Amino acid sequence: NDLQLKSVLSGVRYMMLTTRGERGTLASRPLQLLELDDAGSLWFFTARSSRKMRDIRHDANVNVAFADQDRKIFVGVEGRAELVVDRDKAAHLWSAMQTVFFPLGREDPELVLLKITPVGAHYWDGKESILGTIIKLGKAVISGQAQDLGTSAKIPLA
């Protein structure tokens, strides 16, 4: 299997991060993916005092999800999250666009890196055009049998 997380996430800009709070509730929010490094870790900026960081201090197990409607690819990554304070790495990943969230710039004391180390990943590939999906949905209704709308597999992490 030549499927790799880096190739599946090629071109991804935003993902949904899901954390578990102290009362067991789940919370999801979008984050901009800054880097998927050679070790397979995903890197994001976040605020040190954010709810997501409180959730992660309580339970570092997280899920990151991505959907690309144009490519009909959907990815879920289970991982372990950690706060990283590394000014050199932050400077490397910084862009002017980040000023929207961190108006004091890359020296903002709230700015920290969120590193997610994947422990599992799964993808779904629809590979069907809209017309193909509609035809298969029609077949399912008429025949009463499920139709194959794509493939699904675990993504090897090593």
Side-chain angles (χ1 to χ4, degrees):
N1 187 350
D2 63 351
L3 184 67
Q4 294 183 356
L5 190 59
K6 199 158 197 149
S7 65
V8 172
L9 294 180
S10 173
V12 171
R13 295 195 50 184
Y14 297 95
M15 305 182 90
M16 290 294 288
L17 170 71
T18 301
T19 58
R20 183 177 306 278
E22 290 180 20
R23 295 183 179 171
T25 57
L26 299 175
S28 298
R29 75 281 287 161
L31 286 177
Q32 180 185 15
L33 178 62
L34 301 171
E35 180 180 65
L36 174 57
D37 67 22
D38 291 336
S41 296
L42 296 95
W43 292 86
F44 308 88
F45 282 136
T46 192
R48 182 186 308 267
S49 63
S50 66
R51 176 180 171 198
K52 77 177 88 50
M53 290 313 302
R54 285 193 306 273
D55 289 353
I56 288 166
R57 281 190 286 276
H58 169 72
D59 184 347
N61 295 298
V62 299
N63 186 75
V64 183
F66 163 74
D68 183 333
Q69 181 61 32
D70 292 336
R71 292 191 297 167
K72 307 233 180 338
I73 293 175
F74 307 88
V75 179
V77 178
E78 302 164 51
R80 299 274 304 159
E82 64 182 291
L83 176 146
V84 175
V85 178
D86 182 334
R87 291 293 168 204
D88 292 335
K89 179 99 175 157
H92 169 72
L93 297 174
W94 183 263
S95 70
M97 184 177 137
Q98 303 303 323
T99 311
V100 170
F101 305 104
F102 301 99
L104 299 178
R106 62 180 185 229
E107 298 304 318
D108 190 320
E110 275 292 299
L111 176 69
V112 292
L113 291 161
L114 174 60
K115 176 183 178 185
I116 298 177
T117 303
V119 295
H122 203 95
Y123 90 108
W124 296 263
D125 187 345
K127 292 191 181 189
E128 288 288 341
S129 66
I130 295 296
L131 180 58
T133 300
I134 291 169
I135 290 169
K136 285 190 173 184
L137 288 173
K139 284 181 179 178
V141 170
I142 292 168
S143 70
Q145 295 179 342
Q147 298 291 305
D148 177 19
L149 293 177
T151 58
S152 162
K154 286 188 177 184
I155 300 172
L157 298 178

